[in-house]
Amino acid sequence: MRLRCAVLDDFQDIATTIADWSPVQDRVEVTAFTEHFATEDELASALADFDIVVTLRERVPFRASLLDRLPRLKLIVASGMRNSVIDHASAERNGVTVCGTQSSPTPPVELTWALLLGLARGIVTENNALRAGGPWQSTVGADLHGRRLGLLGLGRIGSRVARVGLAFGMEVTAWSPHLTEERTDEVGVELAPSKEELLRTSDFVSLHLALGDTTRGILGAADLALLRPTAYLINTSRAALVDQEALLAALREGRIAGAGVDVFDTEPLPADHPMRTAPRLLATPHLGYVSQANYRTYYGQAVEDIEAYLAGAPMRRLG
């Protein structure tokens, strides 16, 4: 009898075609779910008869309360090599192996610049007007060359965003709680003396921090108040890095020129969420990691992880 594998949040209905599942198809029956399960009760009911779950990034929390309700579950494969919403201790206690996959930093870098450029040049506004027979030119684009890009975080993604900024002729500064001048020198950017100074002096601010105890809420109302009225904020990392109510207030009151956001406090975003109608906001539905190459890696390595688990030698273990 074959094991049953659930693929969660396969919104594009692509998981079973973008990767080759033939190495495990004689031993594993794969079911892809294209709709998101919003509650733990829905998840527990849907996954009750599955031995394996493949989950994308950190969208679905596997807390102890859920894992305790899934006695048949033996393997979770999560895309990426870090997952903060899986209770690894509970997984071990329940006999559940947790494995990951590689993830390229390139797609979120590219989306960061898509949002930044879209905001700076009014792409959505002008495209909508052109298609609807509206005014011919209604915005004046913000220049990048010679302007200052402030990065909160200079890791795998932030450093690549920095290099693109430098290629545009921007002045690039960076800050994070533990960032050193040695690291900024390595990337070729300036170390900001403080978070506050970075916010006060930047024309564009982009967040590239991992979410943790020291970074959660790192941009609160007082921090956002430091931004210039002409400044733009980009967040393709985690919503909880920024006080969401304070950001909405800044957008509604016109205290910043705009924001580009790819991450939200609840995903998928509820139909009545205020982020859907906020002014000066260019928003995308968490597309940072969503690219053909990344999906081939995620699902291709998920198959490898399942095959290795079945052989009794799990690989890319997390936790």
Side-chain angles (χ1 to χ4, degrees):
M1 186 168 127
R2 292 193 296 172
L3 300 178
R4 299 194 68 203
C5 172
V7 178
L8 298 179
D9 294 331
D10 184 17
F11 298 131
Q12 297 90 356
D13 195 16
I14 199 173
T16 57
T17 57
I18 203 165
D20 179 13
W21 291 77
S22 62
V24 297
Q25 66 182 4
D26 61 332
R27 292 166 289 171
V28 178
E29 175 189 347
V30 180
T31 301
F33 292 96
T34 57
E35 299 295 325
H36 180 69
F37 298 114
T39 69
E40 184 175 293
D41 285 343
E42 290 175 343
L43 278 166
S45 175
L47 301 179
D49 296 326
F50 286 91
D51 310 276
I52 303 166
V53 170
V54 177
T55 182
L56 279 176
R57 305 302 293 162
E58 295 175 319
R59 177 168 290 119
V60 179
F62 281 84
R63 303 185 180 94
S65 54
L66 175 60
L67 291 167
D68 289 343
R69 299 170 68 179
L70 300 174
R72 183 167 164 173
L73 184 62
K74 297 302 176 190
L75 174 66
I76 297 174
V77 179
S79 60
M81 288 303 296
R82 179 178 58 212
N83 196 301
S84 64
V85 300
I86 296 175
D87 187 328
H88 295 285
S90 178
E92 184 176 2
R93 177 168 49 81
N94 281 278
V96 179
T97 300
V98 182
C99 298
T101 73
Q102 295 174 337
S103 182
S104 170
T106 302
V109 172
E110 294 172 352
L111 185 73
T112 295
W113 281 101
L115 290 172
L116 193 154
L117 288 165
L119 283 168
R121 300 306 297 266
I123 299 297
V124 174
T125 299
E126 296 291 359
N127 176 70
N128 289 344
L130 186 147
R131 295 172 66 86
W136 184 263
Q137 297 185 7
S138 64
T139 64
V140 178
D143 296 283
L144 271 59
H145 186 87
R147 305 292 290 280
R148 175 163 289 191
L149 171 63
L151 300 175
L152 292 173
L154 200 64
R156 287 202 317 154
I157 295 173
S159 60
R160 287 169 169 82
V161 171
R163 292 184 178 107
V164 176
L166 292 171
F168 272 116
M170 302 183 79
E171 298 177 7
V172 184
T173 64
W175 180 90
S176 69
H178 306 292
L179 187 61
T180 65
E181 193 167 7
E182 180 182 10
R183 173 60 176 164
T184 55
D185 287 347
E186 179 185 342
V187 179
V189 304
E190 180 184 343
L191 176 63
S194 67
K195 175 182 67 174
E196 291 75 17
E197 183 66 13
L198 181 144
L199 296 173
R200 275 193 293 265
T201 60
S202 294
D203 300 294
F204 300 87
V205 174
S206 190
L207 290 98
H208 303 287
L209 295 165
L211 183 62
D213 293 339
T214 61
T215 59
R216 185 178 298 274
I218 199 165
L219 289 190
D223 301 298
L224 295 175
L226 297 174
L227 291 169
R228 300 168 174 175
T230 54
Y232 296 89
L233 179 71
I234 314 295
N235 187 7
T236 57
S237 294
R238 290 291 182 269
L241 296 170
V242 182
D243 182 323
Q244 298 295 287
E245 290 301 320
L247 175 58
L248 282 168
L251 292 169
R252 289 168 179 154
E253 296 165 15
R255 288 188 277 110
I256 60 174
V261 173
D262 186 49
V263 286
F264 305 92
D265 51 7
T266 302
E267 297 183 7
L269 203 61
D272 59 351
H273 197 286
M275 279 288 185
R276 288 187 180 269
T277 55
R280 303 176 181 84
L281 178 68
L282 177 56
T284 48
H286 206 154
L287 298 178
Y289 63 87
V290 181
S291 76
Q292 294 182 17
N294 239 8
Y295 268 31
R296 281 193 289 269
T297 298
Y298 289 170
Y299 293 116
Q301 292 191 359
V303 175
E304 293 175 1
D305 287 348
I306 293 169
E307 190 174 20
Y309 173 81
L310 296 176
M315 60 193 300
R316 305 187 191 97
R317 296 189 69 162
L318 305 182

